[in-house]
Amino acid sequence: LFDAENEAEAALHALETARPRWVLGQLLACAATTAVFVLRDACIPLACVEAAIEQVDLKCASLVEAVERTETADMVGVECDSSVIGAASSLIAAVAAAEGLMGRATALLSRLGDGEDAKYLAERLLAAKSVAVDDLNERRAVANVLRSYAATDGFLP
């Protein structure tokens, strides 16, 4: 039968005898997958935000693979694997980009509203460095968003 005390002692013994680099790699992989989970949980329903989170997911998978490929060597006298460092740096950059995009999207949608026109305009504004309102659908979206925003009390400062 299952003996909780013996299993706990075995788990603690395994952690006591584990190489520090292995433990660090496992913690790094856990942190990376948790970051992806948190970003997906807080996702804003815009295609550009979802694409940024997919990039984070790809970078996370690369990091987990790099961690799994490394040997379980002791950290004393062994330089850290450059593939793990590179993958971790890429993941950090992707998470920062996704968080920044999510912050801008949240700010835009809080000012523009929840309608489809607001989402369309926010998507266009976030996807490009500069946006020209050229076609009739874009002009209609801007007009609808401004009209709905003007109807609120917060239109004028």
Side-chain angles (χ1 to χ4, degrees):
L1 293 179
F2 180 79
D3 185 7
E5 189 172 318
N6 284 342
E7 292 296 322
E9 287 179 15
L12 289 174
H13 177 69
L15 284 176
E16 288 173 348
T17 59
R19 302 285 185 184
R21 186 174 184 176
W22 179 83
V23 173
L24 180 63
Q26 296 303 312
L27 290 174
L28 190 59
C30 288
T33 54
T34 300
V36 172
F37 174 76
V38 168
L39 288 174
R40 284 194 189 283
D41 189 48
C43 184
I44 296 159
L46 295 176
C48 62
V49 173
E50 292 170 5
I53 293 174
E54 284 303 314
Q55 279 297 108
V56 172
D57 195 18
L58 290 173
K59 301 296 182 185
C60 176
S62 296
L63 176 61
V64 170
E65 288 174 13
V67 166
E68 289 175 352
R69 282 193 310 263
T70 59
E71 297 179 22
T72 56
D74 201 350
M75 292 184 78
V76 177
V78 177
E79 291 190 25
C80 194
D81 192 351
S82 62
S83 66
V84 173
I85 292 174
S89 297
S90 296
L91 174 70
I92 290 168
V95 167
E99 285 178 338
L101 186 63
M102 289 173 74
R104 290 190 303 277
T106 301
L108 273 172
L109 290 175
S110 72
R111 295 302 250 163
L112 298 176
D114 294 331
E116 289 303 314
D117 290 331
K119 289 180 183 177
Y120 174 76
L121 182 59
E123 183 77 40
R124 292 270 294 142
L125 290 171
L126 292 168
K129 295 208 182 268
S130 63
V131 177
V133 181
D134 295 332
D135 70 355
L136 184 61
N137 287 336
E138 291 172 352
R139 289 181 185 184
R140 189 171 297 132
V142 170
N144 288 341
V145 167
L146 291 176
R147 196 174 302 116
S148 67
Y149 189 63
T152 65
D153 293 333
F155 184 67
L156 294 175

